[in-house]
Amino acid sequence: MRRLIFTLHLYAGLGSGLLLALIGVTGSLLVFYPQLDQWLTPALTTPASTATPLPLQDILSRASDAVDGAEPRRLYLPGTSGDYHLVRFDTPADAPGPLQVNVDPYTGKVAAVRTWGAYPMTWIYRLHYTLLAGTTGKYVVGVCGILLALFAVTGVYLRWPKRGRWRRALAIERGKGRFRFYFDLHGALGLYLFPVLMVVALSGVFMVFRAPITSAVATLATVTPAPNPRSAPSASTPVTLDQAVAAAAPVFPGARLSRVYLPRSQRDSYRLAYVLPESNWQRYAASSVWVDQYSGEILEVWDERKLGAADTVLAWQFPLHNGEALGLPGRWLVFVSGGLPALLFVTGVYLWWRKRRLKRRR
C-alpha cells in the first residue's frame, strides 16, 4: 500500500505539479490584491481627506459620463480612507471582463477607466481562476484543487513517522548533503502547512463547483436559498441610490457599506452588502439588505449572525481561501502557502531525478 501511494504521489505530482505551482503563486499575489493594484496604479492612491464625500448618485453619474452614458451595474465603496469608488458596467463585446471606472469620493474626478481582466492584477486573477481558458480552464483549476488535497493527504501519509519519531519527521537537517536537505524540506514543510493546504484546496474546489457542492450539502443539512426579492413596478419615480442607502442604514447600525448591486430591470431591487463591526473579515461583506427601487421599503435582510451551521460553513469558504477570515496573520499564512506547491514541485523533481540517476548508474 505504501509503494502504491508513493507511486501515485510521485507521478501525479510530476504530471500536474507545474500547473499547481502556477495556480499557487498567482493565488499568493491575489491575497494582497488591493495593495498591489494601488502600487501598480499610483493614480488610484489619494490622500485622506476630511471633506464630505459626494452623494453616491453623483458618483454613478460621473462614472457613466466617462463611458458615454453606459448604465452602471455595481458600486464598490472605499474600504479604507484614501481609496476610490469603483463603478462596474457591463462587459463590452470582445472584452475579457466588464468596464470599471474609479472615481474620487470627494472631488468626483475620474481617476481611471479600465477593463477587468486586461490590467495586471485582474489578468493574474483570470490566470489563477481560469488559466485564461474560460469555463474549461475554471474546471481544470477545480480538478487541480482536488489533486492538491490528494497530494497533501498522501504526502502526510508518506512522511508519518514510525514509532512516534516526530522530531525526526519535522526536522530539516543540514550538513548531510543536498539530497537529504531537499528530502527533509519536501516532507517537513508539507507536514507543517498541511492544514493550510487542505483549507485552501477544498475552499478553492468549492468556489469552482459551488452549485453541486451546495446541493450535496443541502441533502445533509438545511441550506437557506439566497434571497431574490422583487420590486413592485410603480409609476412613481424610483428612489435614488442615496435614498436606498438611507433606508437600509438602520438595519445594521455601525456597519460599513461595502458594495451596492444596482437594479438591472423594473422588477429588480437594490442590494446593499455590509461589513459588520464584529465580522472576522473586513473586505468580504457577508450581510445584505434588499430595498425596493420604487418605494424604498426593506424587502429582505440577510444577517450573517443568524445563519445556520451549513450556511455559515458555506459563507466562510471565500474568506478562508484568501486568508481574510483570520485577519492579517491568516493572509500572510495563505500567501506563504501559495508558494509551497512550487517549492514541493522543484524539490520533488530533484529527488526523482537524483534517484533515477543513481538507478541508471547501478
Side-chain angles (χ1 to χ4, degrees), residues 185-269:
L185 191 66
H186 187 91
L189 286 181
L191 278 181
Y192 281 122
L193 292 176
F194 170 74
V196 183
L197 282 180
M198 289 297 294
V199 168
V200 171
L202 296 179
S203 59
V205 171
F206 168 77
M207 285 187 288
V208 172
F209 302 110
R210 179 186 299 269
I213 292 177
T214 301
S215 298
V217 172
T219 63
L220 304 174
T222 301
V223 174
T224 307
N228 186 28
R230 312 299 285 173
S231 296
S234 171
S236 60
T237 303
V239 299
T240 65
L241 172 57
D242 298 281
Q243 291 172 327
V245 171
V251 177
F252 296 119
R256 175 173 60 84
L257 179 61
S258 176
R259 61 185 183 274
V260 179
Y261 298 86
L262 302 167
R264 300 176 67 96
S265 70
Q266 292 183 344
R267 296 298 305 275
D268 282 348
S269 56

Coordinates of all heavy atoms in Angstrom, one line a residue, residues 185-269:
L185 N 13.2 19.0 3.4 CA 12.5 20.2 3.1 C 11.1 19.8 2.5 O 10.1 20.4 2.8 CB 13.3 21.1 2.2 CG 12.8 22.5 1.9 CD1 12.9 23.3 3.2 CD2 13.6 23.1 0.8
H186 N 11.1 18.9 1.6 CA 9.9 18.4 0.9 C 8.9 17.8 1.9 O 7.7 18.2 1.8 CB 10.3 17.4 -0.2 CG 9.2 17.0 -1.0 ND1 8.9 17.7 -2.2 CD2 8.2 16.0 -0.9 CE1 7.8 17.1 -2.8 NE2 7.4 16.1 -2.0
G187 N 9.4 17.0 2.8 CA 8.5 16.3 3.7 C 8.0 17.1 4.9 O 6.8 17.2 5.2
A188 N 9.0 17.8 5.5 CA 8.7 18.6 6.7 C 7.7 19.8 6.4 O 6.8 20.0 7.2 CB 9.9 19.0 7.4
L189 N 8.0 20.5 5.4 CA 7.2 21.7 5.0 C 5.7 21.2 4.7 O 4.8 21.9 5.0 CB 7.7 22.5 3.9 CG 9.0 23.3 4.2 CD1 9.4 24.1 3.0 CD2 8.7 24.3 5.3
G190 N 5.6 20.1 4.1 CA 4.3 19.5 3.8 C 3.5 19.2 5.1 O 2.3 19.4 5.1
L191 N 4.2 18.7 6.1 CA 3.6 18.5 7.4 C 3.2 19.8 8.1 O 2.1 19.9 8.6 CB 4.5 17.7 8.3 CG 4.6 16.2 8.1 CD1 5.6 15.5 9.1 CD2 3.2 15.5 8.2
Y192 N 4.1 20.7 8.1 CA 3.9 22.0 8.8 C 2.6 22.7 8.2 O 1.8 23.2 8.9 CB 5.1 22.9 8.6 CG 6.2 22.6 9.6 CD1 7.5 22.3 9.1 CD2 6.0 22.6 11.0 CE1 8.5 22.0 10.0 CE2 7.0 22.3 11.9 CZ 8.3 22.0 11.4 OH 9.3 21.7 12.3
L193 N 2.5 22.7 6.9 CA 1.5 23.5 6.2 C 0.3 22.7 5.7 O -0.5 23.2 4.9 CB 2.1 24.3 5.1 CG 3.1 25.4 5.5 CD1 3.7 26.1 4.2 CD2 2.4 26.5 6.3
F194 N 0.3 21.4 6.2 CA -0.8 20.5 5.7 C -2.2 21.1 6.0 O -3.1 21.1 5.1 CB -0.7 19.2 6.4 CG -1.9 18.3 6.2 CD1 -2.1 17.7 5.0 CD2 -2.8 18.1 7.2 CE1 -3.2 16.8 4.8 CE2 -3.9 17.2 7.1 CZ -4.1 16.6 5.8
P195 N -2.5 21.7 7.2 CA -3.9 22.2 7.4 C -4.2 23.4 6.5 O -5.3 23.5 6.0 CB -3.8 22.7 8.9 CG -2.7 21.9 9.5 CD -1.7 21.7 8.4
V196 N -3.2 24.3 6.3 CA -3.5 25.4 5.4 C -3.7 24.9 3.9 O -4.6 25.4 3.3 CB -2.3 26.4 5.4 CG1 -2.6 27.6 4.6 CG2 -2.0 26.8 6.8
L197 N -2.9 24.0 3.5 CA -3.1 23.5 2.1 C -4.4 22.8 1.9 O -5.1 23.0 0.9 CB -2.0 22.4 1.8 CG -0.6 23.0 1.4 CD1 0.4 21.8 1.2 CD2 -0.7 23.9 0.3
M198 N -4.9 22.1 2.9 CA -6.2 21.5 2.8 C -7.3 22.5 2.8 O -8.3 22.4 2.0 CB -6.4 20.5 4.0 CG -5.6 19.3 3.9 SD -5.9 18.2 2.5 CE -7.6 17.7 2.9
V199 N -7.2 23.5 3.6 CA -8.3 24.6 3.6 C -8.3 25.3 2.3 O -9.4 25.5 1.7 CB -8.0 25.5 4.8 CG1 -8.9 26.8 4.7 CG2 -8.3 24.8 6.1
V200 N -7.1 25.7 1.8 CA -7.1 26.4 0.6 C -7.5 25.6 -0.6 O -8.3 26.0 -1.5 CB -5.6 26.9 0.3 CG1 -5.5 27.5 -1.1 CG2 -5.2 28.0 1.3
A201 N -7.1 24.3 -0.6 CA -7.5 23.4 -1.7 C -9.0 23.2 -1.7 O -9.7 23.3 -2.8 CB -6.8 22.1 -1.6
L202 N -9.6 22.8 -0.6 CA -11.0 22.5 -0.6 C -11.9 23.7 -0.7 O -13.0 23.6 -1.4 CB -11.3 21.8 0.8 CG -10.6 20.4 1.0 CD1 -11.0 19.8 2.3 CD2 -11.0 19.5 -0.2
S203 N -11.5 24.9 -0.2 CA -12.3 26.1 -0.4 C -12.2 26.5 -1.9 O -13.2 27.0 -2.5 CB -11.8 27.2 0.5 OG -10.4 27.5 0.2
G204 N -11.1 26.3 -2.6 CA -11.0 26.5 -4.0 C -11.9 25.6 -4.8 O -12.5 26.1 -5.8
V205 N -11.9 24.3 -4.4 CA -12.8 23.4 -5.1 C -14.3 23.8 -5.0 O -15.1 23.8 -5.9 CB -12.6 22.0 -4.6 CG1 -13.7 21.0 -5.1 CG2 -11.2 21.5 -4.9
F206 N -14.6 24.3 -3.8 CA -16.0 24.8 -3.6 C -16.3 25.9 -4.5 O -17.4 26.0 -5.1 CB -16.2 25.2 -2.1 CG -17.5 26.0 -1.9 CD1 -18.7 25.3 -1.8 CD2 -17.5 27.3 -1.7 CE1 -19.9 26.0 -1.6 CE2 -18.7 28.0 -1.5 CZ -19.9 27.3 -1.5
M207 N -15.4 26.9 -4.6 CA -15.7 28.1 -5.5 C -15.9 27.7 -6.9 O -16.6 28.4 -7.7 CB -14.7 29.1 -5.2 CG -14.8 29.8 -3.9 SD -13.7 31.2 -3.7 CE -12.1 30.4 -3.5
V208 N -15.2 26.7 -7.4 CA -15.4 26.3 -8.8 C -16.6 25.4 -9.0 O -17.4 25.7 -9.9 CB -14.1 25.4 -9.2 CG1 -14.4 24.8 -10.6 CG2 -12.9 26.3 -9.2
F209 N -16.9 24.5 -8.0 CA -18.1 23.6 -8.1 C -19.1 24.0 -7.1 O -19.6 23.1 -6.4 CB -17.6 22.2 -8.0 CG -16.6 21.8 -9.0 CD1 -15.3 21.5 -8.6 CD2 -16.9 21.6 -10.3 CE1 -14.3 21.1 -9.5 CE2 -16.0 21.2 -11.3 CZ -14.7 21.0 -10.9
R210 N -19.4 25.3 -7.0 CA -20.3 25.8 -5.9 C -21.6 25.1 -5.9 O -22.2 24.7 -4.9 CB -20.4 27.3 -6.0 CG -21.3 27.9 -5.0 CD -21.5 29.4 -5.3 NE -20.2 30.1 -5.3 CZ -19.7 30.7 -4.2 NH1 -20.4 30.7 -3.0 NH2 -18.6 31.3 -4.2
A211 N -22.3 25.1 -7.1 CA -23.7 24.6 -7.2 C -23.8 23.2 -6.8 O -24.6 22.8 -6.0 CB -24.2 24.9 -8.6
P212 N -23.0 22.2 -7.4 CA -23.2 20.8 -7.0 C -22.8 20.6 -5.5 O -23.4 19.7 -4.9 CB -22.2 20.1 -7.9 CG -21.3 21.1 -8.5 CD -22.0 22.4 -8.5
I213 N -21.8 21.3 -5.0 CA -21.4 21.1 -3.6 C -22.5 21.6 -2.7 O -22.8 20.9 -1.7 CB -20.0 21.7 -3.3 CG1 -18.9 21.0 -4.1 CG2 -19.7 21.7 -1.8 CD1 -17.5 21.6 -3.9
T214 N -23.0 22.7 -3.0 CA -24.1 23.3 -2.2 C -25.3 22.3 -2.2 O -26.0 22.1 -1.2 CB -24.6 24.7 -2.7 OG1 -23.4 25.5 -2.7 CG2 -25.7 25.2 -1.9
S215 N -25.6 21.8 -3.3 CA -26.7 20.8 -3.4 C -26.4 19.6 -2.6 O -27.3 19.0 -1.9 CB -27.0 20.4 -4.9 OG -27.3 21.5 -5.7
A216 N -25.2 19.1 -2.6 CA -24.8 17.9 -1.8 C -24.9 18.2 -0.3 O -25.4 17.4 0.5 CB -23.4 17.5 -2.1
V217 N -24.5 19.4 0.1 CA -24.6 19.8 1.5 C -26.1 19.9 1.9 O -26.5 19.6 3.0 CB -23.9 21.2 1.7 CG1 -24.1 21.7 3.2 CG2 -22.4 21.0 1.5
A218 N -26.9 20.4 1.0 CA -28.4 20.6 1.3 C -29.1 19.2 1.6 O -30.1 19.2 2.2 CB -29.1 21.3 0.1
T219 N -28.5 18.1 1.1 CA -29.1 16.8 1.4 C -28.7 16.3 2.8 O -29.4 15.4 3.3 CB -28.5 15.8 0.4 OG1 -27.1 15.6 0.5 CG2 -28.9 16.2 -1.1
L220 N -27.8 17.0 3.4 CA -27.3 16.6 4.7 C -27.8 17.6 5.8 O -27.9 17.2 7.0 CB -25.8 16.4 4.8 CG -25.2 15.4 3.8 CD1 -23.7 15.5 3.8 CD2 -25.7 14.0 4.0
A221 N -27.9 18.8 5.4 CA -28.3 19.9 6.4 C -29.1 20.9 5.7 O -29.2 21.0 4.5 CB -27.0 20.5 7.0
T222 N -29.7 21.8 6.5 CA -30.5 22.9 5.9 C -29.7 24.0 5.4 O -28.8 24.6 6.1 CB -31.4 23.5 7.0 OG1 -32.3 22.4 7.6 CG2 -32.3 24.5 6.5
V223 N -29.9 24.3 4.1 CA -29.2 25.4 3.4 C -30.2 26.4 3.0 O -31.2 26.0 2.2 CB -28.4 24.9 2.2 CG1 -27.8 26.0 1.4 CG2 -27.3 23.9 2.6
T224 N -30.1 27.6 3.4 CA -31.1 28.6 3.1 C -30.8 29.2 1.7 O -29.7 29.7 1.5 CB -31.0 29.8 4.1 OG1 -31.1 29.2 5.4 CG2 -32.1 30.8 3.9
P225 N -31.8 29.2 0.8 CA -31.6 29.8 -0.5 C -31.3 31.3 -0.4 O -31.9 32.0 0.5 CB -32.9 29.5 -1.3 CG -33.5 28.4 -0.5 CD -33.1 28.6 0.9
A226 N -30.4 31.8 -1.3 CA -30.1 33.2 -1.3 C -31.4 34.0 -1.6 O -32.1 33.6 -2.6 CB -29.0 33.5 -2.2
P227 N -31.7 35.1 -0.9 CA -33.0 35.8 -1.3 C -32.9 36.5 -2.6 O -31.8 36.8 -3.1 CB -33.0 36.9 -0.2 CG -32.1 36.4 0.9 CD -31.1 35.6 0.3
N228 N -34.0 36.6 -3.3 CA -34.1 37.3 -4.5 C -35.4 38.1 -4.6 O -36.3 37.8 -5.4 CB -34.0 36.3 -5.7 CG -33.9 37.1 -7.0 OD1 -33.5 38.2 -7.1 ND2 -34.4 36.4 -8.1
P229 N -35.6 39.1 -3.7 CA -36.9 39.8 -3.7 C -37.0 40.7 -4.9 O -36.0 41.2 -5.4 CB -36.8 40.6 -2.4 CG -35.3 40.8 -2.2 CD -34.6 39.5 -2.7
R230 N -38.3 40.9 -5.3 CA -38.6 41.7 -6.5 C -39.3 43.0 -6.1 O -40.1 43.0 -5.2 CB -39.5 40.9 -7.4 CG -39.0 39.5 -7.7 CD -37.7 39.4 -8.3 NE -37.7 39.7 -9.7 CZ -36.6 39.9 -10.5 NH1 -35.4 39.7 -10.0 NH2 -36.8 40.2 -11.8
S231 N -38.9 44.0 -6.8 CA -39.6 45.3 -6.6 C -41.0 45.3 -7.3 O -41.1 44.6 -8.3 CB -38.8 46.5 -7.1 OG -37.5 46.6 -6.5
A232 N -41.9 46.0 -6.7 CA -43.2 46.1 -7.3 C -43.2 47.3 -8.2 O -43.1 48.4 -7.8 CB -44.3 46.3 -6.2
P233 N -43.4 47.0 -9.5 CA -43.4 48.1 -10.5 C -44.4 49.2 -10.1 O -45.5 48.9 -9.7 CB -43.8 47.4 -11.8 CG -43.4 46.0 -11.6 CD -43.6 45.7 -10.2
S234 N -44.0 50.4 -10.3 CA -44.8 51.5 -10.0 C -44.6 52.7 -11.0 O -43.5 52.8 -11.6 CB -44.5 52.0 -8.5 OG -45.1 53.2 -8.2
A235 N -45.6 53.5 -11.1 CA -45.5 54.7 -11.9 C -44.7 55.8 -11.3 O -44.3 56.8 -11.9 CB -46.9 55.2 -12.3
S236 N -44.4 55.7 -10.0 CA -43.7 56.7 -9.3 C -42.2 56.7 -9.7 O -41.7 55.7 -10.2 CB -43.8 56.5 -7.8 OG -43.3 55.2 -7.4
T237 N -41.5 57.8 -9.4 CA -40.1 57.9 -9.8 C -39.3 57.0 -8.8 O -39.5 57.0 -7.6 CB -39.7 59.3 -9.6 OG1 -40.4 60.2 -10.4 CG2 -38.2 59.5 -10.0
P238 N -38.4 56.2 -9.4 CA -37.6 55.3 -8.5 C -36.8 56.1 -7.5 O -36.4 57.3 -7.8 CB -36.7 54.6 -9.5 CG -37.4 54.6 -10.8 CD -38.1 56.0 -10.8
V239 N -36.5 55.6 -6.4 CA -35.7 56.2 -5.3 C -34.2 56.3 -5.8 O -33.8 55.4 -6.6 CB -35.8 55.5 -4.0 CG1 -37.2 55.5 -3.5 CG2 -35.2 54.1 -4.1
T240 N -33.5 57.2 -5.4 CA -32.1 57.3 -5.8 C -31.3 56.4 -4.9 O -31.8 55.8 -3.9 CB -31.6 58.8 -5.5 OG1 -31.6 59.0 -4.1 CG2 -32.4 59.8 -6.3
L241 N -30.1 56.2 -5.3 CA -29.2 55.3 -4.6 C -29.0 55.8 -3.1 O -29.0 55.0 -2.2 CB -27.8 55.1 -5.3 CG -26.7 54.4 -4.5 CD1 -27.2 53.0 -4.1 CD2 -25.5 54.3 -5.3
D242 N -28.8 57.1 -3.0 CA -28.6 57.6 -1.6 C -29.9 57.4 -0.8 O -29.7 57.2 0.5 CB -28.3 59.1 -1.7 CG -27.0 59.4 -2.5 OD1 -25.9 59.2 -1.9 OD2 -27.0 59.7 -3.7
Q243 N -31.0 57.5 -1.3 CA -32.3 57.2 -0.6 C -32.4 55.8 -0.2 O -32.8 55.5 1.0 CB -33.5 57.7 -1.4 CG -33.6 59.1 -1.6 CD -34.7 59.5 -2.6 OE1 -35.0 58.8 -3.5 NE2 -35.4 60.7 -2.3
A244 N -31.9 54.9 -1.1 CA -31.9 53.5 -0.7 C -30.9 53.2 0.4 O -31.2 52.4 1.3 CB -31.6 52.6 -2.0
V245 N -29.8 53.8 0.3 CA -28.8 53.6 1.4 C -29.3 54.1 2.7 O -29.1 53.5 3.8 CB -27.5 54.4 1.0 CG1 -26.5 54.4 2.2 CG2 -26.8 53.7 -0.2
A246 N -30.0 55.3 2.7 CA -30.5 55.9 3.9 C -31.6 55.0 4.5 O -31.7 54.8 5.7 CB -31.1 57.3 3.7
A247 N -32.4 54.3 3.7 CA -33.5 53.4 4.1 C -32.9 52.2 4.8 O -33.5 51.7 5.7 CB -34.4 53.1 3.0
A248 N -31.8 51.7 4.3 CA -31.2 50.4 4.8 C -30.3 50.7 6.0 O -30.0 49.7 6.7 CB -30.4 49.7 3.6
A249 N -29.8 51.9 6.2 CA -28.8 52.1 7.2 C -29.2 51.7 8.6 O -28.4 51.1 9.4 CB -28.5 53.6 7.2
P250 N -30.5 51.8 9.0 CA -30.9 51.4 10.4 C -30.8 49.9 10.6 O -30.9 49.4 11.8 CB -32.3 51.9 10.6 CG -32.4 53.0 9.5 CD -31.6 52.6 8.4
V251 N -30.8 49.1 9.6 CA -30.8 47.6 9.7 C -29.6 47.1 10.4 O -29.6 46.3 11.3 CB -31.0 47.0 8.3 CG1 -31.0 45.4 8.5 CG2 -32.3 47.4 7.7
F252 N -28.4 47.7 10.0 CA -27.1 47.2 10.6 C -26.4 48.5 11.2 O -25.5 49.0 10.5 CB -26.3 46.5 9.6 CG -26.8 45.2 9.1 CD1 -27.1 45.1 7.7 CD2 -27.1 44.2 9.9 CE1 -27.6 43.9 7.2 CE2 -27.6 43.0 9.4 CZ -27.9 42.9 8.1
P253 N -26.8 48.9 12.4 CA -26.2 50.1 12.9 C -24.6 49.9 13.1 O -24.2 48.9 13.6 CB -26.8 50.3 14.3 CG -28.1 49.5 14.2 CD -27.8 48.4 13.2
G254 N -23.9 50.9 12.7 CA -22.4 50.8 12.8 C -21.7 50.0 11.8 O -20.5 49.9 11.8
A255 N -22.5 49.4 10.9 CA -21.8 48.6 9.8 C -21.3 49.5 8.7 O -21.7 50.6 8.5 CB -22.8 47.6 9.3
R256 N -20.4 49.0 7.9 CA -19.8 49.7 6.8 C -20.3 49.2 5.5 O -20.3 48.0 5.2 CB -18.3 49.6 6.8 CG -17.6 50.2 5.6 CD -16.1 50.2 5.7 NE -15.5 48.9 5.8 CZ -15.3 48.1 4.8 NH1 -15.5 48.5 3.6 NH2 -14.8 46.9 5.0
L257 N -20.9 50.1 4.7 CA -21.4 49.7 3.4 C -20.2 49.4 2.5 O -19.4 50.2 2.3 CB -22.3 50.8 2.8 CG -22.9 50.5 1.4 CD1 -23.8 49.3 1.5 CD2 -23.6 51.8 0.9
S258 N -20.2 48.2 1.9 CA -19.1 47.7 1.1 C -19.3 47.8 -0.4 O -18.5 48.3 -1.1 CB -18.7 46.3 1.5 OG -17.7 45.8 0.7
R259 N -20.5 47.4 -0.8 CA -20.8 47.4 -2.2 C -22.4 47.4 -2.4 O -23.1 47.0 -1.5 CB -20.2 46.2 -3.0 CG -20.7 44.9 -2.5 CD -19.9 43.7 -3.2 NE -20.4 42.4 -2.8 CZ -20.0 41.7 -1.8 NH1 -19.1 42.2 -1.0 NH2 -20.5 40.5 -1.5
V260 N -22.7 47.9 -3.6 CA -24.2 48.0 -3.9 C -24.4 47.4 -5.3 O -23.7 47.7 -6.3 CB -24.6 49.5 -4.0 CG1 -26.1 49.6 -4.4 CG2 -24.4 50.2 -2.7
Y261 N -25.4 46.5 -5.4 CA -25.8 45.9 -6.6 C -27.0 46.7 -7.1 O -28.1 46.7 -6.4 CB -26.2 44.4 -6.5 CG -25.0 43.6 -6.0 CD1 -24.7 43.4 -4.7 CD2 -24.2 42.9 -6.9 CE1 -23.6 42.7 -4.2 CE2 -23.1 42.1 -6.5 CZ -22.8 42.0 -5.2 OH -21.7 41.3 -4.8
L262 N -26.9 47.3 -8.2 CA -28.0 48.2 -8.7 C -29.0 47.4 -9.5 O -28.7 46.4 -10.1 CB -27.3 49.3 -9.6 CG -26.2 50.1 -8.9 CD1 -25.5 50.9 -10.0 CD2 -26.8 51.0 -7.9
P263 N -30.3 47.9 -9.5 CA -31.3 47.3 -10.3 C -31.0 47.2 -11.8 O -30.5 48.2 -12.4 CB -32.6 48.1 -10.0 CG -32.2 48.9 -8.8 CD -30.8 49.1 -8.8
R264 N -31.3 46.1 -12.4 CA -31.0 45.9 -13.8 C -32.3 45.9 -14.6 O -32.2 45.9 -15.9 CB -30.2 44.6 -14.1 CG -28.9 44.6 -13.4 CD -28.2 43.2 -13.6 NE -27.8 43.0 -14.9 CZ -26.6 43.3 -15.4 NH1 -25.7 43.8 -14.7 NH2 -26.3 43.0 -16.7
S265 N -33.4 45.8 -14.0 CA -34.7 45.8 -14.7 C -35.8 46.4 -13.8 O -35.5 46.8 -12.6 CB -35.1 44.3 -15.0 OG -35.4 43.6 -13.8
Q266 N -37.0 46.5 -14.2 CA -38.0 47.1 -13.5 C -38.4 46.3 -12.2 O -39.0 46.9 -11.3 CB -39.3 47.3 -14.4 CG -39.1 48.4 -15.5 CD -40.4 48.6 -16.3 OE1 -41.3 47.8 -16.2 NE2 -40.4 49.7 -17.0
R267 N -38.2 45.1 -12.2 CA -38.5 44.2 -11.1 C -37.4 44.0 -10.1 O -37.6 43.5 -9.0 CB -39.0 42.8 -11.6 CG -40.3 42.9 -12.4 CD -41.5 43.4 -11.6 NE -41.7 42.7 -10.4 CZ -42.4 41.6 -10.3 NH1 -42.9 41.1 -11.3 NH2 -42.5 41.0 -9.1
D268 N -36.2 44.4 -10.5 CA -35.0 44.3 -9.6 C -35.1 45.2 -8.4 O -35.8 46.2 -8.4 CB -33.7 44.5 -10.3 CG -33.3 43.3 -11.2 OD1 -33.9 42.2 -11.0 OD2 -32.4 43.5 -12.0
S269 N -34.3 44.9 -7.4 CA -34.2 45.8 -6.2 C -32.8 46.1 -5.9 O -31.8 45.5 -6.5 CB -34.8 45.0 -5.0 OG -34.1 43.8 -4.8

